[in-house]
Amino acid sequence: MKAMVLEKVGAPLVARERATPQPGPGEILVAVSACGVCRTDLHVVDGELPDVPVPIVPGHEVVGRVAALGAGVTAFSPGTRVGVPWLGHTCGACPYCESGRENLCDHPGFTGYTRDGGYATHIVADADYCFALPDGYTDAQAAPLLCAGLIGYRTLKLAGPAKVIGIYGFGAAAHIVAQLARHEGRTVHAFTRPGDAAAQDFARNMGAAWAGGSDEPAPEPLDAALIFAPVGALIPVALKQVKKGGVVVSGGIHMSDIPSFPYRDLWEERVIRSVANLTRADAVEFLALAPVAGIRTEVTEYPLESANEALADLREGRLSGAAVLVI
């Protein structure tokens, strides 16, 4: 098999030939056809997440077909199209797993971080953490649903019944969330890098009622703000835009430090909260909802060997929507 491997944190990925892995009990071997390039991959490659176990193959928005079954697997058959997301395994025994909060598992496994991911022609995955994908999406179009979509969906859920939503950072997750929010009858306002007219046009095309720079005031008070840009300074900015009782939800796994802000901006029962990972229930719910809501994904395709180029384009903000490696 071929893989793009992170051998040193902070260094470019390296193309390697490896022996094709074999699935163990409860696992499946997936022949990868597409893998989304997520900002979390940048955090892995750049060493912004702790204890990256190099060498590691990044990638956790994996679409492919089952090539082989490990012992005991009955949920899938060879040839079935499946998706492999970020949450690759949980212990099932810690207090979080036992209380339905497996996204907070004490002993998790993460695709493309603690176990090899989808920047490769093949991947072994725990069958219980893989999902059938909805029809109507090509493999490349389906890939962003597996993290940008799933984490975005969980972020929107944690905003509660907010009717007026601000989205800070309009990339892969935001362009999916905006469509879902509009399907649910919510109003979406998009905040981008100041002066980024292309991103603002893209946001309006994805259903935003208004789009402007993150340095601009919201056109109306927000019930909730969703933050997908990894910029801690946006937390107090967004907090000033939400109503009494409003919520600011950070959807990223990594963010720069949050600067201090006056307590007055938090007072009146405003809330700041984060999203951690996903649950399998999130995946089942969202993957069923996506086609019903008419969600479409905007993707830019790259060949596997151009993974470093895709990461660079994401890092520099040169993308609208999502980058996807096509194998």
Side-chain angles (χ1 to χ4, degrees):
M1 62 173 269
K2 296 179 181 179
M4 297 297 292
V5 184
L6 178 68
E7 297 184 341
K8 181 181 179 181
V9 170
L13 305 182
V14 179
R16 296 296 187 204
E17 293 276 350
R18 290 180 162 188
T20 301
Q22 297 303 306
E27 296 180 331
I28 56 175
L29 174 67
V30 178
V32 180
S33 52
C35 184
V37 178
C38 178
R39 184 163 293 277
T40 301
D41 299 336
L42 279 179
H43 298 321
V44 170
V45 170
D46 294 343
E48 293 170 327
L49 297 185
D51 305 320
V52 177
V54 291
I56 190 73
V57 179
H60 57 273
E61 296 178 321
V62 189
V63 177
R65 275 123 188 114
V66 177
L69 304 175
V73 175
T74 59
F76 299 110
S77 301
T80 302
R81 186 170 81 151
V82 297
V84 186
W86 169 251
L87 187 67
H89 181 77
T90 58
C91 72
C94 71
Y96 299 103
C97 288
E98 291 183 338
S99 60
R101 296 177 292 166
E102 65 182 8
N103 60 304
L104 302 177
C105 175
D106 283 335
H107 307 286
F110 296 117
T111 309
Y113 176 29
T114 65
R115 53 195 297 163
D116 283 333
Y119 287 16
T121 57
H122 294 81
I123 180 176
V124 164
D126 188 323
D128 288 342
Y129 295 79
C130 299
F131 301 93
L133 297 171
D135 296 331
Y137 297 93
T138 67
D139 292 349
Q141 291 168 344
L145 299 177
L146 290 159
C147 184
L150 290 177
I151 294 299
Y153 173 66
R154 187 170 183 86
T155 303
L156 184 61
K157 283 205 306 182
L158 292 188
K163 289 296 184 182
V164 180
I165 293 174
I167 298 179
Y168 287 79
F170 209 88
H175 94 287
I176 294 173
V177 171
Q179 295 175 71
L180 180 56
R182 291 295 300 131
H183 171 74
E184 294 177 344
R186 310 183 196 221
T187 299
V188 174
H189 301 306
F191 298 83
T192 71
R193 292 177 181 176
D196 193 342
Q200 292 162 21
D201 288 342
F202 180 57
R204 285 186 284 267
N205 289 336
M206 292 293 105
W210 174 91
S214 59
D215 57 344
E216 298 180 51
E220 60 181 314
L222 307 175
D223 295 308
L226 315 181
I227 300 183
F228 295 110
V231 181
L234 290 175
I235 295 286
V237 169
L239 200 58
K240 288 184 177 181
Q241 304 298 321
V242 298
K243 299 176 183 176
K244 291 182 283 188
V247 59
V248 175
V249 188
S250 175
I253 193 172
H254 171 81
M255 178 177 275
S256 59
D257 289 347
I258 301 170
S260 64
F261 56 88
Y263 173 68
R264 184 65 181 81
D265 293 344
L266 179 63
W267 190 59
E268 296 174 317
E269 299 192 352
R270 292 174 178 87
V271 176
I272 302 172
R273 66 183 308 170
S274 67
V275 169
N277 313 313
L278 66 136
T279 68
R280 284 173 285 179
D282 292 330
V284 172
E285 292 168 7
F286 174 71
L287 292 173
L289 179 59
V292 174
I295 289 173
R296 60 188 175 92
T297 58
E298 297 291 326
V299 302
T300 301
E301 297 184 9
Y302 299 78
L304 176 62
E305 57 270 21
S306 296
N308 289 311
E309 178 186 346
L311 287 166
D313 287 346
L314 176 59
R315 183 183 288 108
E316 299 301 322
R318 293 191 286 260
L319 293 163
S320 290
V324 178
L325 304 180
V326 177
I327 290 84

